[in-house]
Amino acid sequence: MVDDIYAQTIKMFGSHPEPAFESASELNAVWGREWGCDTDVGKLKTVLMHRPGSEFDVIDKTKRIESIGSYGDLEEGWYFQSDTIPDLSAMQADHDGLVQALQDEGVEVIMLEGEIGGRFKSCYTRDSSIAIKGGAIVSRLAAKMRRGEELCVTRTLARYGVPILHTIHGTGMFEGGSFAWLNSSTAVVGRSIRVNNDGIEQLASTLKHQGVELIVTDLCGYNIHIDQSFLMIDVNLALVDAGNLAYDFLQHLKKLNIDTVEITPEDDPWIVNGLAVAPGRVLMSPGMSARTRAQLERRNIEIIEIPYDSMQKNGGGIHCSTCPLMRGSVD
């Protein structure tokens, strides 16, 4: 009798590791939504963004550094990436157009909340966090001029009830623009001047608990993020700038049965920095060559072009400006 009561008590009130944290039943029961992603091409449901604003006031057009051909202040610790500083209203118009395009696709757009300060790269929300199964990983941004964006991101994720599964810490450096899902059990990270081994080890450890293999590929020269050269646009199909990717990585894609379309010298390289909103349906800036367009059309890829040149002058494109928080599965 005592044994029966004990067994019933354990069954009702004991520890229950199953189902896993990231399972749909657990997420819905505890967190209210099925937060997270295990794909870069599944139906996009929710995305995190930031409209450029008063943080651009820190840029002083009288402070030009000729050695970098742009503007900056070494003491204040900021620099502008392009030789021409775009008008803020033009950047906002580009960003607003992207937000509208996403909403037209039925995507919920969550905006960063809180004081951004002078961190005018914070409009590129791809870098400060990434979504994995069941929630998010908060990055540790490498450049001093971006350090601190993590606080606003953390507060926003917490406000919306997004589980934060890990925060890169210690001397780890990791930025989300150098991460991509290849399929639901395989992801890739580009090691670079913005992503170090410590950050990669922390990322790999978190993914390992979900049964996900993390491929590490070294980026060329001073390239900072893999999304400058690689974009999943459909299940088992990627758009690539092959000259800026390692041969071993391109071969690994073949082993995973992922086909590639290579951009040409006639293409604007920014087209790679696009965003799949559903399998085979991609938001992309203009500048695609007729040859590349024909290849994509043969594969039934739908392209929605969004003007984005003013935002690109700040150093990032459509992909950089969006951090998916929820996608539908493609398995």
Side-chain angles (χ1 to χ4, degrees):
M1 181 65 177
V2 174
D3 289 344
D4 289 343
I5 294 174
Y6 179 76
Q8 291 178 14
T9 302
I10 291 297
K11 184 177 180 180
M12 295 175 62
F13 303 109
S15 300
H16 298 280
E18 301 290 343
F21 178 96
E22 62 272 13
S23 68
S25 60
E26 284 286 287
L27 289 171
N28 283 313
V30 179
W31 300 91
R33 299 199 205 181
E34 293 178 42
W35 292 108
C37 305
D38 63 1
T39 169
D40 273 358
V41 299
K43 175 64 177 175
L44 185 58
K45 298 180 179 179
T46 305
V47 67
L48 180 67
M49 300 181 69
H50 172 66
R51 188 176 192 257
S54 60
E55 65 272 10
F56 281 82
D57 293 345
V58 73
I59 299 175
D60 186 345
K61 295 182 180 181
T62 68
K63 295 184 177 180
R64 184 170 177 85
I65 304 176
E66 293 300 334
S67 61
I68 66 173
S70 188
Y71 304 86
D73 188 317
L74 298 179
E75 291 185 3
E76 293 292 329
W78 66 268
Y79 73 94
F80 198 79
Q81 193 159 335
S82 302
D83 59 1
T84 302
I85 297 176
D87 181 78
L88 178 58
S89 61
M91 294 183 67
Q92 290 173 334
D94 280 359
H95 196 271
D96 291 346
L98 176 57
V99 170
Q100 186 61 59
L102 288 164
Q103 291 175 336
D104 289 346
E105 296 292 319
V107 179
E108 175 191 20
V109 178
I110 292 174
M111 291 293 183
L112 280 182
E113 299 180 358
E115 178 59 41
I116 302 297
R119 299 173 181 88
F120 55 85
K121 297 285 189 179
S122 57
C123 53
Y124 303 130
T125 53
R126 174 71 58 161
D127 297 329
S128 47
S129 65
I130 64 167
I132 63 171
K133 299 175 183 180
I137 292 177
V138 175
S139 308
R140 182 170 182 257
L141 296 156
K144 287 185 177 180
M145 67 180 292
R146 299 202 65 177
R147 196 72 54 77
E149 293 179 32
E150 302 93 338
L151 177 59
C152 187
V153 169
T154 298
R155 287 173 171 168
T156 304
L157 294 176
R159 172 172 167 73
Y160 281 87
V162 182
I164 297 175
L165 306 182
H166 187 84
T167 298
I168 303 297
H169 56 275
T171 57
M173 299 187 306
F174 168 70
E175 297 182 353
S178 218
F179 174 84
W181 285 99
L182 303 180
N183 56 46
S184 62
S185 60
T186 316
V188 62
V189 62
R191 182 165 44 203
S192 70
I193 59 174
R194 296 291 182 88
V195 179
N196 65 2
N197 288 335
D198 191 347
I200 291 171
E201 288 170 5
Q202 293 181 47
L203 174 63
S205 176
T206 303
L207 289 171
K208 182 179 179 181
H209 287 287
Q210 301 186 349
V212 176
E213 176 190 7
L214 182 65
I215 298 169
V216 181
T217 183
D218 288 311
L219 302 187
C220 301
Y222 295 109
N223 288 349
I224 61 175
H225 297 146
I226 199 170
D227 67 359
Q228 296 172 282
S229 308
F230 178 81
L231 177 70
M232 291 297 297
I233 57 176
D234 200 352
V235 178
N236 295 331
L237 181 64
L239 182 67
V240 303
D241 183 352
N244 281 317
L245 293 171
Y247 175 75
D248 285 350
F249 175 59
L250 294 173
Q251 292 301 109
H252 204 122
L253 293 176
K254 291 183 179 180
K255 293 178 182 177
L256 293 172
N257 295 316
I258 296 175
D259 193 11
T260 58
V261 173
E262 298 183 11
I263 68 169
T264 71
E266 291 74 38
D267 288 302
D268 185 333
W270 279 111
I271 67 173
V272 179
N273 200 265
L275 178 73
V277 293
R281 187 170 174 84
V282 187
L283 304 185
M284 191 177 291
S285 59
M288 182 181 296
S289 68
R291 177 182 170 186
T292 300
R293 189 178 299 276
Q295 290 192 66
L296 295 179
E297 287 176 350
R298 282 198 297 270
R299 291 167 169 83
N300 298 315
I301 303 300
E302 300 176 86
I303 302 298
I304 304 168
E305 292 190 341
I306 309 293
Y308 219 64
D309 60 311
S310 291
M311 283 289 292
Q312 290 165 358
K313 289 178 181 177
N314 190 31
I318 290 172
H319 192 267
C320 299
S321 303
T322 51
C323 176
L325 296 176
M326 292 177 62
R327 281 188 183 271
S329 174
V330 294
D331 285 347

